[in-house]
Amino acid sequence: MTERIANSEQRTTGAIDVADFSFSYGPRQILNNVSFSMPSKAVTAIIGPSGCGKSTFLRSINRLNDLIPETKHAGDILVDGRSVYTRGIDLVALRLGVGMVFQRANPFPKTIYENVAYGPTLNRLVAPRDLPATVERCLKQAALWDEVKDRLDTPATGLSGGQQQRLCIARALANDPKVLLMDEPCSALDPIATQRVEELIVQLKASYTIVIVTHNMQQAARVSDVTGFFDRGELIEFGPTEQIFTAPSKERTEAYITGRFG
Amino acid sequence: MTVPTAPSASTPAAALQGAAAGDRIFRALLTLAALAIPVLLGFLVYELVQGSELAIQRYGFRFLTTSTWDPVTDEFGALPLIFGTLLSSFLALLIAVPLSLGVAIFITEFAPSAIRRPIAFIVELLAAIPSVVYGLWGIFVLIPFLRTTVFTFLKGTFGFLPFFQGPVYGQSMLAAGIILAIMVMPYIMSVTREVLAVVPASQREAAMALGATRWEAAWTAVVPYARSGIVGAVILGLGRALGETMAVTMLIGNRHEIAASLFAPGYTMAAAIANEFSEASTDMHLAALSYVALVLFGVTVIVNALARVLIWRVSKGRQSGGAGL
Ligand SMILES: Nc1ncnc2c1ncn2[C@@H]1O[C@H](COP(=O)(O)OP(=O)(O)OP(=O)(O)O)[C@@H](O)[C@H]1O
Ligand SMILES: [Mg+2]
């Protein structure tokens, strides 16, 4: 544990700068000239109506959209001052540093233990004998440990939707990334689990940069330090969460957060 | 039983009744069709048992464990045939499974989309070639090639193993296994390709987001997700290999012997039946061939049953993904 803390002090900060970034699936432009900077060791909330490109934006940061044929991008995204779109960038290293929790839980059809151990095992991040401890720590952080500690060797697909979602959080934490992208991590969770995950987010921000997409305004207000409001592929407003929620400068932002949107 | 209440309007009710009568006829027809298959199967087994009665009475289960096959003295034992069938099919899978899996993974995960269809098409075209053409090709092209290259290499390098000793004739267990591998590959490949193609993108994305390379994602996330379907594909290939006759009989050497060496000739059940049936002169010889057919049928059923169990065990670990089959 002490070793990890020492490491986290040395490691790079994980700030994300978005410079004039545009993105399109084939002919459909999804993101339009988005520019802003997400501070390191803080929580950035991304809010906006359904289909406005929030998930697309998150997936652009760890370059997961590369997998989809016929996509185009313009502009740049920098993590720690380094462009993620430079030629010859080590995508594995990028994705190890930038973890992701998907909008829809996607556990592997393996055991619970194997799911959490997947990243560290594949990338040999943890010595085999420390693996059980890592799995336990991550499951505890994701508020799932108590529910699954007696059945770690049962299939993850046998978990409930909310449990699967927390399992995917644990799985992402196991890689110990410096940036954590969370796409509606609480969408299938009950209020208690939601609270636990929010506590986790607040606790993690001491050492991680967190970007969270959420449709829950209270949640954005509770956990985030800065908030960006997206609409139809454009960043409408970005600023300190308090300001966005109490004194937004754009009418559209105000309409959205007060529920008078449309 | 609950009786549905009569609808108030008479026209829709009449229409419904008409539909119900149509439904009944349709259902009866389908039931008949569905029943026809087990009945046919029953007849088949009955006929085989009838035909092999003489041999069953004389040998019983000993037929499966003895190796003499001598029409002159009317002495028959099927062990070499069973051995040859299982070994040639095993060799075929040993070669075909890694190859087809590799091709299927390459097509679904790596190949540029422009060449995916052409490659798949060409491999699947292999399935359309008649068996006898494979046999001829085997005799004129494959065997000369194997004799001058692969067999000599194996003999020179691994000659200390009993599998690669003895004279090299060309027609051999190994040649049959190789031709079978080529013949079952299109089946295994195309089913595998289909089950891989329906693995949700989110599985691949999950792996890659955790730092997997494309290859690692394919191997550790996509393939395991599809494994029960892949097992099914292999079983399909095995079924083809067990029953294949023409190409095998042209390449295997047709000798009722069990040899450790893969260079030695052998025989399979299907090949023996096809070759000897028209020449069988004694009743016992005919009965023995019929018995062999019964055993072949039994082996196929057992292999398929084992396959079901395997698929069931493999897919027990999850609820999703088995849909590939
Ligand atoms: N793989 C894809 N191919 C083509 N279009 C896509 C693809 N994925 C998303 N889109 C389109 O991009 C737009 C933005 O999608 P995105 O998933 O980023 O929205 P979102 O803001 O995350 O919405 P939600 O809040 O509902 O999750 C949508 O119009 C969607 O139809
Ligand atoms: Mg989304």
Side-chain angles (χ1 to χ4, degrees), chain A residues 25 28 30 48-57 68 103 184 215:
Chain A
Y25 292 112
R28 285 190 58 205
I30 304 296
S50 191
C52 68
K54 305 180 295 295
S55 298
T56 303
F57 174 66
I68 301 168
Q103 181 162 6
E184 297 183 43
H215 282 289

Side-chain angles (χ1 to χ4, degrees), chain A residues 68-206:
Chain A
I68 301 168
E70 298 179 16
T71 57
K72 276 197 307 285
H73 78 275
D76 208 351
I77 296 178
L78 300 99
V79 174
D80 279 329
R82 297 191 46 206
S83 163
V84 302
Y85 284 94
T86 5
R87 253 175 201 292
I89 185 182
D90 181 353
L91 283 175
V92 169
L94 169 70
R95 290 172 186 148
L96 282 177
V98 182
M100 179 160 209
V101 178
F102 291 79
Q103 181 162 6
R104 257 184 286 159
N106 53 357
F108 300 122
K110 305 173 190 283
T111 67
I112 295 171
Y113 182 92
E114 286 168 339
N115 262 278
V116 183
Y118 181 87
T121 311
L122 187 69
N123 301 294
R124 298 195 189 77
L125 303 175
V126 178
R129 75 188 137 78
D130 297 332
L131 208 50
T134 304
V135 170
E136 179 176 343
R137 173 178 57 80
C138 297
L139 284 170
K140 278 183 172 155
Q141 283 183 311
L144 188 59
W145 175 251
D146 290 332
E147 286 156 69
V148 301
K149 62 170 182 274
D150 300 320
R151 47 168 172 154
L152 290 176
D153 55 353
T154 61
T157 41
L159 296 174
S160 77
Q163 288 171 329
Q164 291 186 9
Q165 208 162 30
R166 278 172 286 157
L167 180 69
C168 292
I169 296 176
R171 187 174 66 179
L173 291 174
N175 269 354
D176 197 24
K178 54 183 192 264
V179 177
L180 194 54
L181 310 172
M182 306 175 100
D183 201 345
E184 297 183 43
C186 300
S187 62
L189 301 189
D190 64 28
I192 297 169
T194 300
Q195 197 191 341
R196 299 278 302 270
V197 171
E198 287 181 9
E199 282 164 16
L200 168 73
I201 291 172
V202 171
Q203 169 201 330
L204 287 178
K205 98 177 167 184

Side-chain angles (χ1 to χ4, degrees), chain A residues 222-238:
Chain A
R222 276 194 302 264
V223 301
S224 70
D225 303 292
V226 290
T227 297
F229 170 58
F230 279 65
D231 188 18
R232 275 167 253 169
E234 283 175 36
L235 180 72
I236 305 298
E237 190 168 353
F238 176 75

Side-chain angles (χ1 to χ4, degrees), chain B residues 145-227:
Chain B
F145 169 76
L146 289 176
R147 280 184 63 166
T148 52
T149 56
V150 178
F151 287 4
T152 36
F153 165 79
L154 285 174
K155 198 166 172 167
T157 320
F158 300 105
F160 57 92
L161 293 169
F163 313 123
F164 304 116
Q165 285 171 358
V168 174
Y169 304 109
Q171 293 193 327
S172 58
M173 190 62 83
L174 189 52
I178 292 173
I179 203 80
L180 275 178
I182 299 173
M183 292 175 78
V184 300
M185 220 184 100
Y187 295 93
I188 304 181
M189 196 285 299
S190 75
V191 175
T192 304
R193 187 174 63 85
E194 266 153 40
V195 297
L196 289 181
V198 298
V199 173
S202 66
Q203 290 287 315
R204 194 172 304 121
E205 289 175 355
M208 295 186 66
L210 290 165
T213 60
R214 279 191 90 132
W215 167 249
E216 286 164 341
W219 192 246
T220 63
V222 179
V223 168
Y225 192 92
R227 64 195 162 172

Side-chain angles (χ1 to χ4, degrees), chain A residues 7-19 36-42 61-62 76-86 89 93-99 176-181 207-211:
Chain A
N7 266 339
S8 66
E9 267 159 14
Q10 278 170 16
R11 61 195 204 171
T12 39
T13 54
I16 304 170
D17 298 296
V18 184
F36 66 118
S37 291
M38 291 173 265
S40 72
K41 299 189 184 176
I61 301 175
N62 65 352
D76 208 351
I77 296 178
L78 300 99
V79 174
D80 279 329
R82 297 191 46 206
S83 163
V84 302
Y85 284 94
T86 5
I89 185 182
L94 169 70
R95 290 172 186 148
L96 282 177
V98 182
D176 197 24
K178 54 183 192 264
V179 177
L180 194 54
L181 310 172
S207 41
Y208 297 75
T209 301
I210 293 174
V211 184

